[in-house]
Amino acid sequence: MAGPRVAAVEALVRELLREAAPPRIAALSEELFQAAEGISEEDGKVAEGEPPAPSPSGGAGGASNPTALAQVEESAIGLWNWTVTKHMGAVISDEQRAKLRFVACRLICLCEGSDPPEATIRRQILMSMKTGKVWIDIGKAALADGFLENASIEKLYAKLRSGSESEADIQMHRADVEKNLFKVLSYQAESAVAQGDFEKAVMCVQRCKDMLMKLPKETCYLSILCYNFGVETYEWKKYEQSSFWLSQSYDIGKMDMKYSVGKEMQAKVLRLLATTYFEWDCSLYLDKALKAISLANQENLHPAGFFLKVKILLKSGASDEDINSALAEFMCFEMSLDFCLNTAKLLLEHGRESVGFDFLKSVPERFESSPDLGKITLLHIEFLLQNKRELLAKQKIEEVIIGHYTGKQLLPEALNQLHIMLWDRAAKHYEVWDQAIVFLFISVKMEKNYSEALHWYNYSVSFYTPGQIDQNLAKLQRNMASCYLHLKQVDKAKEAVKQAERCDPNSIFTKFSVYKIAVMENDTDKAMEAVIEMGKLAEKPSEHKDKLRVDDNTGSNLLSLAAQIALEMFGPSDVIKSHGRKCREKNNQEIIFYASKSPPRDEDINSILTYLNLAHKKLAESFTEDRFTGEMRILEAHWFRKVAWNLAVQFKDSPEKMRDFFVLSFKLSQFCPSDKAVLIAQKTCLLMAAAVDLEMGRQASPSEQTELFSQALQHLQTCKEIWKVLKLTGDFAKDPTDTLLLLYEFEARSKLNDPTLHNLMESVWEQPQIEIKTLEIIASLAMESPARYPVLCKKALKSALNLHRKQAVIDAEKFSKCLHSLINISLPTGLTDLDTCVLQEVWDYFEDALSIISSTDAYPEMEVLWLMTRAWNTGIFQYTVGKYKEAEQWCGLGMRFLNHLGSLKKSYEGHMVGLYSEVLDKLDRAKGFIPNEE
């Protein structure tokens, strides 16, 4: 009996052969393939009847069963034939065919036995070869190798020899076997090439090549196989391998002329070989490339061979004489007009003007009766213009114009190409409005010669008959009108526009030309009438069926350009009034943009703010409108937020407007995806808005301060949330945002007398990386009106002073300023009744100062003087309240600072010493009246 895995496969085969539904066939094919992959050699032994390994109980796992073997073979053959039929009927795909052949092959191999008959061996070889080939054909060459190796050619040969009696039979069998071996080797070569195994492919092809003496009919097949290898490796840019395979193909093709591929194929092989050498390294393999193409042209003359030879000669830098010689070889053969034109173009593009123009002049003689003769003239004109021979080009064009009215008209396609050429030439002298809408907002620096542009446009006009109606003629007249306007020839411009209106009255471009003339003549009413017409045309779909189709963007761009022109002529107020309807209806960007670029006035800015707020409203509404796509909304939002940003930056001298525009920019950015760039922009907008609110609050009345500081806090809270997200997107170690958020929030809360301020500061004191400058600013803000937090101020200054002390090199100047502030807040001027603890604390600060002063010469002298004065005055204050001991200590401390004064010491020393002596005398006398304590 068959093994369980084989039986399962057989069951699936039977089900598949009965199935008709394609989806189920596909599923069963995959299931069969997976199951067949699991069949092992042990399963084959069970199917054949050989007992498997003994079970633990000692019993045998199966017995001989020829019937089971025959059933497996029958299933394999049935599946194979079913696959052939269904593939021909397009029921199964190439990959499904490969998988089912794989299954059939696996099953047939199980039926081989120890001494299979000849028919079984032949069937196995055929099925293995075909299965291997189909894997190669579907691009899975690695799966083919096992089947190609499994094609037991040697076993078949041994079987045939054992049953043969005569030498003739043996020779016949040998020839039969060699045919199969040739096929297997050629398939193995295909597989090797597909897998990039060049050495194995060469070995297989060489063995096939050696067999051609006995199998001459395979010459053509092997030559084409090598050519295909050459094509594949050429496409992979493996030029060395490609040149090898193409050379092999050519050599094999010459081995037996009776079975050769033919001269045309040989020439094709050689042309690709020449191309391979040319693209590989023309300078290194030039001779080989020329030899290959010369051989190709000898085998079979073809336009491609001629063209390639000229191309190689040009690349090699051959002389004009050599190139003329190559051209002469082909002049007696039939060539198409397009081929001759391409050859001329090739010569001219490589700078061979003499040869190229001579060749071009000879072409008309060969095609006198061709209706496409105008193509030659066009190419001639094109290259004359490219080589800056405008005078000769104009002569040629004038000849064409004369021919147009004397019965030698160009074909419509050629005439259209000539119009394009003439317009392009005109555009080099003037950037035409109609043709450059995409560049409306880019300043192009170029020398403009409007008269010369008109010259080329007039050539184009010459091909139109009087009274002809044509949309391209309308476009041409509009372009000419633009040139006339720049030349201040308004009457001619008006006539050109009149002609354009006659040809295309419902064109938005024509109305735009009318508008430009009205603006130049300061005719506001006519300009407004034209703008209204433009707006109507922009809103309804275009009826044009040609390339002049107007889309929404083009209409919007033209209206925006009209706004720009009006701004330059009339100023922003009039423009906003006249275009207000369009702003409201179409959310127009450019009107706002150009108005924002003009000298700002209050009424203009208020209008722009109104329209930006309207834009925000429209964007919010667009979430519910199907016509406004998500991508369009994002693009609009990006544009408007950037405009608001730019306006905010302009108003640095007007804080309120700056804040409003920054807030608007933030709001508009909320319609954009929250990528890193947008998050940074949002954070900056909110920080700037908060900063402006704080600045305005410092100068506002008490009633206004609360609103401004509260508003700043709102901006900061939103900013903190954005900052949390933004920090997840990258490294912001050097970004000052954390510091700014802290300082701004501290200022706002302190000036609002917020009870949560102390909680905020608790987290600040715990920060290990807080900077000295930040602490000093906090100290300053803590005492800035209306805030008054002396305890927080002292704590910040103490922390800053500690950080100063920890520096590797103490900055004496910064240290002195910080200490100055700390002493000032701790020892208010004019107070005499001070707590002993306070005095002791301040005394320590003075001692710190002396310590630093003693260790450096960089301590500012004025600060030393100030310390001396404060210590002395503190002593005098203590004296006045009868604290003589403390008075002596503080006055003595002041004298210690005197010793560290530099240039000022002499100015103070005499006075201080004398005064100090008096103080000591008074202190001694005062002590005499003080009773001793018992």
Side-chain angles (χ1 to χ4, degrees):
M1 58 178 284
R5 282 190 286 265
V6 176
V9 171
E10 284 187 276
L12 287 170
V13 169
R14 287 193 294 273
E15 184 180 353
L16 177 65
L17 298 186
R18 293 193 300 269
E19 188 57 63
R24 183 59 184 155
I25 287 173
L28 284 170
S29 299
E30 187 61 34
E31 195 175 345
L32 261 173
F33 178 65
Q34 298 294 335
E37 279 190 311
I39 294 176
S40 65
E41 191 176 330
E42 193 70 26
D43 294 304
K45 292 178 180 179
V46 173
E48 190 180 341
E50 182 179 325
S55 64
S57 61
S64 178
N65 194 338
T67 305
L69 198 64
Q71 287 176 351
V72 173
E73 186 174 14
E74 184 181 347
S75 293
I77 295 170
L79 177 60
W80 184 274
N81 293 335
W82 182 91
T83 303
V84 172
T85 304
K86 294 299 181 183
H87 186 262
M88 289 175 66
V91 176
I92 60 174
S93 66
D94 290 340
E95 186 167 357
Q96 287 169 346
R97 177 176 65 155
K99 290 180 175 180
L100 293 176
R101 280 188 172 183
F102 171 92
V103 176
C105 234
R106 274 293 178 92
L107 291 175
I108 208 71
C109 288
L110 298 178
C111 306
E112 185 179 279
S114 57
D115 186 22
E118 178 187 334
T120 300
I121 298 174
R122 286 185 181 278
R123 187 183 300 117
Q124 181 190 345
I125 291 171
L126 176 68
M127 292 172 72
S128 295
M129 282 197 300
K130 286 185 175 291
T131 302
K133 184 68 168 74
V134 78
W135 281 125
I136 295 169
D137 290 342
I138 67 168
K140 296 186 177 182
L143 295 175
D145 293 344
F147 290 95
L148 297 175
E149 291 169 6
N150 201 40
S152 307
I153 308 295
E154 291 80 4
K155 187 182 288 186
L156 174 62
Y157 186 55
K159 186 74 176 177
L160 293 173
R161 279 185 63 92
S162 64
S164 302
E165 297 178 358
S166 65
E167 184 64 27
D169 288 341
I170 292 172
Q171 292 301 324
M172 183 182 67
H173 293 322
R174 180 180 295 168
D176 190 27
V177 168
E178 284 177 342
K179 286 180 184 178
N180 286 325
L181 180 59
F182 184 90
K183 281 187 179 179
V184 170
L185 287 169
S186 68
Y187 294 163
Q188 287 178 329
E190 279 190 72
S191 176
V193 169
Q195 295 179 73
D197 191 342
F198 179 66
E199 289 75 14
K200 182 179 178 181
V202 171
M203 181 189 71
C204 292
V205 168
Q206 187 58 50
R207 286 185 66 186
C208 289
K209 194 174 174 182
D210 294 341
M211 296 170 71
L212 288 179
M213 294 297 291
K214 296 177 182 178
L215 302 170
K217 291 182 181 180
E218 302 296 338
T219 302
C220 180
Y221 168 78
L222 189 59
S223 176
I224 292 173
L225 183 68
C226 288
Y227 171 75
N228 290 337
F229 292 166
V231 171
E232 284 185 43
T233 48
Y234 169 79
E235 289 173 349
W236 298 337
K237 300 192 183 301
K238 295 181 178 181
Y239 296 121
E240 186 174 3
Q241 292 182 22
S242 179
S243 63
F244 171 81
W245 291 122
L246 293 169
S247 298
Q248 287 291 306
S249 177
Y250 177 65
D251 291 342
I252 292 168
K254 295 189 299 180
M255 288 178 66
D256 193 315
M257 300 309 295
K258 183 179 178 181
Y259 300 105
S260 173
V261 291
K263 288 184 175 296
E264 288 186 7
M265 185 63 197
Q266 286 288 75
K268 187 177 181 180
V269 171
L270 288 166
R271 284 196 296 272
L272 183 55
L273 179 60
T275 303
T276 301
Y277 284 131
F278 179 75
E279 293 186 15
W280 185 6
D281 189 335
C282 189
S283 58
L284 191 61
Y285 299 106
L286 174 64
D287 291 339
K288 289 186 176 183
L290 282 172
K291 182 180 178 182
I293 198 60
S294 297
L295 283 172
N297 293 335
Q298 289 172 20
E299 290 280 351
N300 180 56
L301 195 60
H302 189 278
F306 161 61
F307 193 81
L308 182 57
K309 183 171 183 179
V310 173
K311 198 174 178 182
I312 293 169
L313 286 170
L314 288 170
K315 183 74 173 178
S316 69
S319 65
D320 287 355
E321 186 179 355
D322 289 339
I323 293 171
N324 275 320
S325 177
L327 293 171
E329 293 176 20
F330 295 88
M331 292 305 290
C332 56
F333 293 95
E334 284 293 327
M335 301 289 177
S336 70
L337 175 59
D338 285 339
F339 179 80
C340 290
L341 292 177
N342 286 334
T343 302
K345 192 179 293 186
L346 178 70
L347 293 166
L348 293 169
E349 285 174 349
H350 281 78
R352 300 301 179 101
E353 295 178 25
S354 175
V355 180
F357 282 121
D358 287 346
F359 180 75
L360 197 58
K361 289 173 185 175
S362 70
V363 174
E365 299 173 10
R366 297 166 60 92
F367 300 96
E368 286 180 340
S369 59
S370 173
D372 283 334
L373 205 59
K375 288 183 178 180
I376 303 169
T377 306
L378 287 182
L379 184 63
H380 205 152
I381 293 170
E382 181 183 347
F383 276 95
L384 285 171
L385 291 174
Q386 284 183 12
N387 288 279
K388 298 181 180 179
R389 299 183 181 182
E390 285 200 356
L391 188 59
L392 288 173
K394 287 178 179 178
Q395 289 175 3
K396 276 283 181 187
I397 293 166
E398 288 162 7
E399 288 174 13
V400 174
I401 294 170
I402 293 169
H404 184 75
Y405 292 100
T406 56
K408 296 181 180 179
Q409 289 94 347
L410 297 175
L411 290 177
E413 183 183 351
L415 181 57
N416 188 50
Q417 289 178 350
L418 179 58
H419 278 303
I420 292 170
M421 199 183 298
L422 294 171
W423 288 22
D424 285 345
R425 199 67 191 174
K428 291 183 183 299
H429 300 283
Y430 171 56
E431 202 68 29
V432 187
W433 297 112
D434 284 1
Q435 290 178 309
I437 293 298
V438 72
F439 300 116
L440 288 177
F441 310 122
I442 300 175
S443 176
V444 182
K445 290 184 179 179
M446 58 182 293
E447 185 179 346
K448 297 180 180 181
N449 187 335
Y450 302 111
S451 297
E452 187 65 20
L454 281 167
H455 193 86
W456 292 100
Y457 283 134
N458 277 317
Y459 277 146
S460 186
V461 170
S462 300
F463 290 98
Y464 291 96
T465 57
Q468 185 175 349
I469 302 296
D470 187 281
Q471 287 180 1
N472 282 329
L473 178 58
K475 183 175 182 180
L476 181 56
Q477 293 288 358
R478 290 193 297 266
N479 293 346
M480 294 177 72
S482 293
C483 291
Y484 285 131
L485 285 176
H486 282 284
L487 293 170
K488 309 299 182 186
Q489 298 175 15
V490 180
D491 290 339
K492 289 185 177 180
K494 290 169 76 171
E495 180 60 30
V497 170
K498 184 178 178 181
Q499 293 298 321
E501 284 187 292
R502 182 180 61 82
C503 293
D504 196 5
N506 296 321
S507 167
I508 191 172
F509 297 107
T510 302
K511 299 300 180 187
F512 179 64
S513 296
V514 173
Y515 173 81
K516 286 193 290 183
I517 292 173
V519 169
M520 184 165 280
E521 293 183 324
N522 289 322
D523 190 340
T524 309
D525 293 338
K526 193 169 184 179
M528 279 307 305
E529 183 182 338
V531 167
I532 291 168
E533 289 296 320
M534 288 169 66
K536 290 177 181 178
L537 289 168
E539 288 173 4
K540 64 182 180 180
S542 172
E543 297 176 358
H544 293 169
K545 297 180 180 178
D546 62 3
K547 63 183 179 181
L548 293 175
R549 182 178 297 276
V550 180
D551 58 23
D552 290 340
N553 288 335
T554 304
S556 179
N557 286 339
L558 273 176
L559 284 163
S560 303
L561 184 56
Q564 179 193 1
I565 294 169
L567 280 164
E568 293 169 356
M569 300 295 292
F570 305 130
S573 295
D574 294 336
V575 175
I576 290 175
K577 288 175 186 175
S578 63
H579 289 75
R581 176 175 171 271
K582 178 172 179 288
C583 276
R584 289 190 290 276
E585 290 180 357
K586 299 187 74 66
N587 219 13
N588 183 259
Q589 301 173 348
E590 288 77 15
I591 291 174
I592 297 172
F593 175 78
Y594 285 112
S596 71
K597 293 293 182 184
S598 305
R601 295 182 299 186
D602 288 343
E603 60 268 27
D604 299 337
I605 294 308
N606 291 335
S607 296
I608 294 171
L609 266 171
T610 300
Y611 290 126
L612 283 172
N613 278 304
L614 178 62
H616 179 265
K617 182 182 176 183
K618 290 286 185 183
L619 287 168
E621 290 173 356
S622 68
F623 280 101
T624 59
E625 295 179 13
D626 294 337
R627 66 180 179 81
F628 203 61
T629 65
E631 184 178 353
M632 190 186 303
R633 180 170 54 248
I634 290 168
L635 290 172
E636 293 277 306
H638 272 304
W639 192 93
F640 279 113
R641 76 172 178 84
K642 290 175 183 177
V643 168
W645 174 284
N646 290 336
L647 286 164
V649 172
Q650 284 188 45
F651 285 97
K652 58 185 178 182
D653 295 328
S654 180
E656 187 174 358
K657 289 185 175 64
M658 177 188 277
R659 177 203 58 198
D660 291 344
F661 281 119
F662 272 128
V663 171
L664 259 175
S665 182
F666 165 72
K667 288 180 178 179
L668 289 161
S669 72
Q670 290 178 300
F671 299 112
C672 304
S674 296
D675 57 25
K676 187 174 180 179
V678 169
L679 289 172
I680 290 173
Q682 289 179 339
K683 177 206 72 170
T684 308
C685 284
L686 291 168
L687 278 175
M688 292 300 295
V692 173
D693 278 331
L694 291 172
E695 177 62 30
M696 291 170 63
R698 294 181 195 119
Q699 301 166 21
S701 64
S703 59
E704 295 173 330
Q705 283 183 331
T706 301
E707 182 182 351
L708 288 166
F709 293 142
S710 298
Q711 200 167 263
L713 268 182
Q714 290 175 8
H715 297 324
L716 293 169
Q717 290 306 312
T718 308
C719 187
K720 284 167 79 173
E721 295 303 315
I722 292 169
W723 180 232
K724 285 178 186 176
V725 177
L726 184 56
K727 284 197 285 190
L728 300 175
T729 65
D731 182 11
F732 291 90
K734 295 181 180 180
D735 193 293
T737 299
D738 280 319
T739 301
L740 291 174
L741 284 170
L742 168 63
L743 294 174
Y744 290 171
E745 185 175 0
F746 179 84
E747 180 175 1
R749 292 192 186 281
S750 65
K751 290 178 179 177
L752 286 169
N753 197 21
D754 191 322
T756 64
L757 181 63
H758 289 280
N759 294 334
L760 170 69
M761 295 311 296
E762 284 304 317
S763 61
V764 173
W765 309 135
E766 296 170 3
Q767 291 180 16
Q769 302 299 325
I770 193 164
E771 295 182 356
I772 295 170
K773 186 67 177 175
T774 304
L775 291 166
E776 290 174 345
I777 294 172
I778 288 172
S780 174
L781 291 172
M783 298 301 290
E784 188 176 276
S785 180
R788 183 165 181 78
Y789 291 89
V791 174
L792 288 178
C793 177
K794 284 179 64 175
K795 191 162 186 177
L797 289 171
K798 285 180 183 179
S799 298
L801 206 61
N802 286 333
L803 291 176
H804 274 299
R805 291 193 193 98
K806 292 176 181 178
Q807 301 297 309
V809 178
I810 295 176
D811 187 322
E813 185 173 351
K814 291 179 179 179
F815 180 90
S816 70
K817 290 178 180 178
C818 184
L819 187 67
H820 186 129
S821 299
L822 182 56
I823 292 172
N824 253 348
I825 192 72
S826 303
L827 189 66
T829 305
L831 292 183
T832 56
D833 188 14
L834 291 170
D835 187 86
T836 305
C837 293
V838 172
L839 284 173
Q840 183 57 52
E841 180 185 341
V842 177
W843 180 275
D844 293 339
Y845 299 152
F846 280 93
E847 289 288 357
D848 276 348
L850 280 170
S851 174
I852 300 300
I853 292 167
S854 302
S855 62
T856 179
D857 294 330
Y859 207 95
E861 189 174 15
M862 293 307 294
E863 285 297 318
V864 176
L865 177 62
W866 181 84
L867 288 166
M868 181 191 76
T869 305
R870 286 306 304 271
W872 179 267
N873 289 342
T874 301
I876 297 300
F877 290 147
Q878 296 301 305
Y879 175 78
T880 59
V881 295
K883 295 183 178 181
Y884 303 117
K885 181 179 179 183
E886 289 82 354
E888 182 181 354
Q889 290 174 340
W890 281 98
C891 288
L893 180 63
M895 294 300 294
R896 290 165 67 189
F897 281 103
L898 176 65
N899 295 327
H900 294 286
L901 282 177
S903 59
L904 296 173
K905 184 178 181 180
K906 290 182 180 179
S907 302
Y908 288 90
E909 189 173 22
H911 176 68
M912 287 286 292
V913 170
L915 192 57
Y916 185 53
S917 298
E918 289 182 24
V919 169
L920 289 178
D921 288 342
K922 289 181 181 179
L923 285 172
D924 287 339
R925 287 197 297 272
K927 287 175 186 178
F929 295 103
I930 300 172
N932 293 326
E933 295 182 3
E934 294 286 336

